[in-house]
Every structure is written in C-alpha cells, then in structure tokens.
Amino acid sequence: MVAEPTADETRARRSSRRRERESGGTRETRIKVSYNDDEHAIVKAAAERERQATASWIGRVSLDVAEEIVLPTPVNARAVVAELIETRRQLKRIAVHHDQQVKVMNSDGEVPGPLMEAMHQALVTAIRRTDEAVLQVMRERKERG
C-alpha cells in the first residue's frame, strides 16, 4: 500500500514548480507564447530538467535574459567552449614538454629533431584549433550584437 503525501508535502512539491514570488506584488500581466510541436518539446524538457512548470520556467528564463543575469547561449556554443577547454589542456601539456626541452638545451644537452618536430606540429594544431574556436565565438557574438 502506498502512503498518500501529506498536505505539506503536496504544497512543497507544487511550490518547487513555481517561480519565486516577487516583492512587486501579484503578477497580473499575461503573455501568450506560441511554439510548434518541436519547440514546445524542447522548452518542456528544459523546464522538466529544472523541475519547474513550463510557464514558470519560461517566465524565469525570459526575465533572467531581459535583466542580463544570463546571456542566451546557442547550443553549439557549448561545443565551442568544450573545444576551447580541450585546447587549453593541450596547450598546457605542450608547454610542459617545451619547458623540459628548453631545460635540456640549456644544460648543453641535445634535443632530438623528431621530438622538436612533434612538438612543433602539436603547437601548430593547438593554435589552429584555438583560432577556429575563437573565430566561432566572435561570429556568434556578432550575430547577437
């Protein structure tokens, strides 16, 4: 047998799906928002991820954007940010190898040619990837601004 939730539990569950109350009084103004089926599914899934009713989620997110608390970020921007993070990691690794090779060279050692060529190629690749990601971010910012 499943126990019925208490009135307090039901109220707490409902309130977590609502936006927080503002000190400005009750919200009387209504805005109609229309979506096609695919758009509605996307918005509904986003609201469900945050355990909010769809209308509450739309209201909170639209106010956050309007007040510039958050900036809208295209989904593909996540991929660009991930690319920048990966490139940063690679550049750090390359920098460590470079420092080790400079240390050997400063101690009158000799760094093998193939090792220098591999390091050079890794640097060129990392710089190219960084350039591409930065250009993508710049294009997206230009489109928004």
Side-chain angles (χ1 to χ4, degrees):
M1 175 171 220
V2 177
E4 293 293 319
T6 66
D8 289 337
E9 289 172 339
T10 303
R11 207 174 302 112
R13 193 175 318 133
R14 261 193 229 127
S15 65
S16 69
R17 293 179 50 83
R18 294 183 179 176
R19 282 189 296 155
E20 294 178 18
R21 299 269 183 223
E22 295 292 322
S23 60
T26 60
R27 293 183 173 111
E28 300 290 333
T29 306
R30 305 269 188 249
I31 299 173
K32 182 178 178 180
V33 180
S34 300
Y35 296 110
N36 65 32
D37 290 341
D38 293 338
E39 293 167 334
H40 181 256
I42 292 167
V43 170
K44 185 177 178 185
E48 288 173 353
R49 279 193 304 271
E50 295 191 30
R51 302 182 65 179
Q52 285 192 314
T54 305
S56 295
W57 183 86
I58 292 168
R60 183 183 55 78
V61 170
S62 62
L63 281 174
D64 286 352
V65 171
E67 294 173 347
E68 296 183 351
I69 295 170
V70 297
L71 295 174
T73 305
V75 173
N76 66 343
R78 291 185 191 133
V80 173
V81 170
E83 178 69 21
L84 286 170
I85 291 169
E86 174 61 21
T87 301
R88 182 174 180 261
R89 187 189 66 75
Q90 287 181 8
L91 286 170
K92 280 184 170 182
R93 182 181 53 79
I94 293 166
V96 168
H97 289 289
H98 179 266
D99 289 346
Q100 290 171 348
Q101 291 175 7
V102 167
K103 192 177 206 179
V104 169
M105 290 169 71
N106 285 339
S107 66
D108 293 330
E110 209 174 291
V111 177
L115 185 57
M116 288 298 285
E117 178 59 33
M119 187 178 75
H120 174 75
Q121 190 56 45
L123 279 169
V124 168
T125 300
I127 290 168
R128 181 186 47 77
R129 289 177 65 189
T130 302
D131 284 346
E132 289 169 1
V134 169
L135 288 173
Q136 180 65 31
V137 169
M138 290 170 62
R139 277 191 294 272
E140 288 177 4
R141 288 187 58 140
K142 186 176 181 181
E143 290 169 7
R144 279 191 262 154

